[in-house]
Amino acid sequence: MSATRIDGKAFAARLRERVGAHALNFAKVADRKPGLAVVLVGEDPASQVYVGAKGKACLAANMESFEHRLPADTSEAALLDLVHRLNRDETVDGILVQLPLPDSIDEQAVIAAIDPDKDVDGFHVINAGRLSVGQSGFVPCTPMGCMMLLTDRLGDLSGMEAVVVGRSNIVGKPMAQLLLDANATVTIAHSRTRDLADVVRRADIVVAAVGRPEMIRKDWLKDGATVIDVGINRLPPEPGREKGRLVGDVAFDEASEVAGAITPVPGGVGPMTIGVLLRNTVVAAYRHAGLEVPEGL
Ligand code: GUN
């Protein structure tokens, strides 16, 4: 048997299209476009690529992008000052401070300074708390993207066994909350879990977010399981090549022999993150303007 390949890239393209249409409707009613402010401190090459991609995606989805690129030696006070200004700026609906920040800046203090109603990353403790008690707020983009792929593939998740491998604040924990809200039976496994392969083998749904290249093997999976691979790991280059291959946390080829459906890396979960970020920003714009958030956004 060969698993269905879950095409996150195509799904994300449709999501961005839909969000773009909602952004256009918002602009007609509110007389301004939804606006996302993205803040980058320093010159980390990967972060520069992400920030550039977020800005372009905003423009393509009929939204305003405000980029703030600050030098690596920016003080925490100056960054907090910018965040406070963006909180007060009526043209800004969403604020994203690209992580990681330089070591000299306390990341948690910066996230805490963002207005929770503009925190489209869903990283503020208020939004983590809202998610955990079932209030509407903002949910981190990557787990929400995983959830969209899962419900599109499986429909109702009630009663399913879900195993989330990884317990980060950004992916593992919110992922588990979302699955629980969808009435799945949820296990969070991690590096200290005993008999990890046996735990994963129980799962109808596996979400892998550990950052260990190809850790999850074919014999860890139940027949027909749906596998969502959040990992993006670069292997060391093969001889004669400049760059190593990008792989997930799941050994894709062999897992495909057992799984019912699986996301590839790249082209699976990755493209969903920006799509959800745009979606969260348009939701923030509707709320910010005191308008009802449209159905299906
Ligand atoms: N760095 C890597 N991914 C993300 C993300 O989703 N949000 C922020 N703020 N920083 C990141």
Side-chain angles (χ1 to χ4, degrees):
M1 198 179 76
S2 185
T4 303
R5 190 174 175 280
I6 299 175
D7 189 345
K9 198 171 163 194
F11 192 102
R14 291 194 297 274
L15 171 64
R16 283 163 65 161
E17 211 38 53
R18 198 168 71 239
V19 170
H22 283 291
L24 216 53
N25 284 338
F26 173 84
K28 280 187 202 142
V29 181
D31 209 22
R32 65 175 184 83
K33 292 179 178 178
L36 174 66
V38 179
V39 182
L40 172 63
V41 185
E43 266 111 53
D44 178 66
S47 292
Q48 285 185 328
V49 171
Y50 289 138
V51 165
K54 285 166 188 172
K56 272 196 208 139
C58 273
L59 302 182
N62 310 311
M63 299 163 64
E64 205 81 65
S65 162
F66 307 103
E67 269 184 30
H68 295 267
R69 292 174 186 253
L70 308 177
D73 63 356
T74 300
S75 69
E76 186 175 311
L79 180 57
L80 289 172
D81 204 49
L82 172 60
V83 169
H84 291 140
R85 267 192 287 129
L86 296 172
N87 284 343
R88 289 191 301 269
D89 188 334
E90 286 301 320
T91 65
V92 171
D93 300 295
I95 301 171
L96 180 146
V97 179
Q98 186 67 28
L99 304 180
L101 289 168
D103 289 344
S104 56
I105 297 177
D106 177 355
E107 244 166 48
Q108 285 307 319
V110 175
I111 293 168
I114 298 171
D115 177 346
D117 295 330
K118 294 191 177 188
D119 168 39
V120 286
D121 256 334
F123 291 171
H124 195 291
V125 288
I126 294 275
N127 283 318
R130 285 168 170 164
L131 176 61
S132 90
V133 298
Q135 291 178 8
S136 65
F138 291 108
V139 176
C141 302
T142 299
M144 188 156 182
C146 294
M147 206 59 195
M148 288 177 177
L149 295 177
L150 280 170
T151 52
D152 180 64
R153 163 84 195 160
L154 298 170
D156 184 6
L157 309 187
S158 283
M160 291 189 181
E161 285 270 356
V163 174
V164 179
V165 190
R167 54 176 156 178
S168 70
N169 290 333
I170 291 175
V171 182
K173 286 183 205 167
M175 188 73 232
Q177 290 282 359
L178 289 169
L179 288 161
L180 194 57
D181 283 349
N183 303 311
T185 301
V186 184
T187 303
I188 305 181
H190 47 79
S191 55
R192 305 285 177 89
T193 297
R194 238 182 292 137
D195 305 321
L196 182 56
D198 289 337
V199 173
V200 173
R201 213 174 287 120
R202 291 204 304 258
D204 304 304
I205 295 167
V206 180
V207 180
V210 269
R212 301 266 303 271
E214 302 180 317
M215 182 182 79
I216 296 179
R217 316 300 309 192
K218 162 178 155 176
D219 62 338
W220 292 33
L221 298 172
K222 174 156 118 179
D223 250 357
T226 301
V227 180
I228 304 290
D229 191 350
V230 183
I232 303 178
N233 311 289
R234 188 156 313 263
L235 295 179
E238 284 156 32
R241 299 257 173 163
E242 199 182 321
K243 273 186 174 180
R245 263 188 322 129
L246 271 188
V247 297
D249 292 346
V250 180
F252 181 84
D253 287 345
E254 58 173 70
S256 296
E257 295 171 20
V258 178
I262 184 167
T263 58
V265 176
V269 172
M272 293 298 293
T273 302
I274 290 187
V276 177
L277 173 69
L278 300 178
R279 180 254 169 210
N280 282 355
T281 304
V282 178
V283 168
Y286 272 95
R287 290 182 184 154
H288 184 194
L291 298 165
E292 198 176 327
V293 177
E295 198 78 29
L297 178 57

